[in-house]
Amino acid sequence: DIVMTQTPLSSPVTLGQPASISCRSSQSLVHNDGNTYLSWLQQRPGQPPRVLIYKISNRFSGVPDRFSGSGAGTDFTLKISRVEAEDVGVYYCMQATQFPRTFGQGTKLEIK
Amino acid sequence: EVQLVESGGGLVKPGGSLRLSCAASGFTFYTYTMNWVRQAPGKGLEWVSSIGSSSNFIYDADSVKGRFAISRDNAKNSLYLQMNSLRAEDTAVYYCVRGFEGFDYWGQGTLVTVSS
């Protein structure tokens, strides 16, 4: 199974400041078809998860452009350019390159 | 608008059974892979099971293999999860999720509690 490791697990951030979350996979996420199926999900308190980014860097419909994804192979990053109050929650990376699908442990973003 | 509405959760004793349902609307259900993902109280996300658009493939997590069975009825735009031999560690919110290479839409979830 592919193990997804996120750092940090907790991130206190000042409103208006940037934030960054890293995700490392135990093996390459490049699929045989050439795509890399790495997604980022956000889970606000009391809500189901929602997808922010898919295939490393593609923003899902309706996601603000302050969210961006980057990386390749086994190392990936989610960046928030300027944190807003509504960004509080837990962020997960997830791989869909192979079964079983696996998630990172989650990174809790909170406001200082 | 894509909607996924889960039902069927509740309190069940260890060793018992439960069947979850997910009613899908707002998209061509029969063209999408569907999944169940669960989240234990205060914990992270755990993939449970996936089924292909025409039930052409099924994958299950090792933790539920032989106990849970995913199925779908494309005529009814519905996804199911039959859960047998339930254990305390199966206690979680179960989400119905659309997608194959990425999980793009999630339902609100249904809570399953396994306790005597």
Side-chain angles (χ1 to χ4, degrees):
Chain A
D1 297 3
I2 298 177
V3 177
M4 306 296 286
T5 304
Q6 289 181 228
T7 54
L9 298 183
S10 178
S11 180
V13 183
T14 302
L15 286 174
Q17 293 300 302
S20 180
I21 300 170
S22 294
C23 176
R24 177 166 288 178
S25 57
S26 60
Q27 55 188 273
S28 174
L29 297 186
V30 179
H31 192 273
N32 289 340
D33 64 8
N35 289 305
T36 300
Y37 297 109
L38 183 282
S39 300
W40 288 96
L41 307 169
Q42 175 197 60
Q43 187 173 31
R44 291 171 171 151
Q47 294 295 312
R50 68 162 181 149
V51 66
L52 298 175
I53 303 284
Y54 63 97
K55 287 198 287 186
I56 303 178
S57 59
N58 297 273
R59 265 189 307 277
F60 193 64
S61 174
V63 174
D65 59 8
R66 64 178 182 275
F67 290 95
S68 64
S70 63
T74 61
D75 287 285
F76 307 93
T77 303
L78 175 71
K79 291 183 179 176
I80 309 174
S81 58
R82 293 173 304 280
V83 171
E84 298 189 4
E86 65 178 18
D87 300 336
V88 165
V90 181
Y91 292 77
Y92 297 92
C93 60
M94 176 206 144
Q95 68 81 20
T97 293
Q98 66 175 241
F99 285 97
R101 306 311 198 207
T102 48
F103 298 87
Q105 320 95 298
T107 295
K108 189 173 185 178
L109 185 76
E110 49 198 5
I111 305 301
K112 276 184 189 174
Chain B
E1 179 193 4
V2 172
Q3 285 200 317
L4 299 167
V5 180
E6 303 93 338
S7 61
L11 175 63
V12 61
K13 288 182 168 55
S17 297
L18 216 52
R19 189 193 196 208
L20 305 184
S21 298
C22 171
S25 61
F27 65 102
T28 50
F29 180 74
Y30 64 88
T31 66
Y32 284 88
T33 293
M34 296 298 296
N35 314 271
W36 290 99
V37 174
R38 68 184 180 184
Q39 185 170 37
K43 302 297 185 183
L45 301 170
E46 180 188 15
W47 168 79
V48 173
S49 190
S50 298
I51 185 168
S53 57
S54 57
S55 303
N56 50 317
F57 67 80
I58 287 175
Y59 292 97
D60 299 309
D62 286 346
S63 57
V64 306
K65 206 164 287 186
R67 300 187 301 122
F68 291 10
I70 191 172
S71 63
R72 65 190 296 161
D73 185 336
N74 286 345
K76 294 182 178 180
N77 287 348
S78 293
L79 177 72
Y80 306 101
L81 186 67
Q82 177 65 43
M83 303 187 296
N84 300 326
S85 303
L86 282 160
R87 306 166 179 167
E89 54 265 35
D90 295 319
T91 294
V93 173
Y94 285 74
Y95 294 104
C96 170
V97 187
R98 188 184 86 166
F100 181 64
E101 297 96 354
F103 290 176
D104 58 1
Y105 285 96
W106 297 61
Q108 289 293 315
T110 187
L111 176 63
V112 172
T113 303
V114 184
S115 175
S116 54

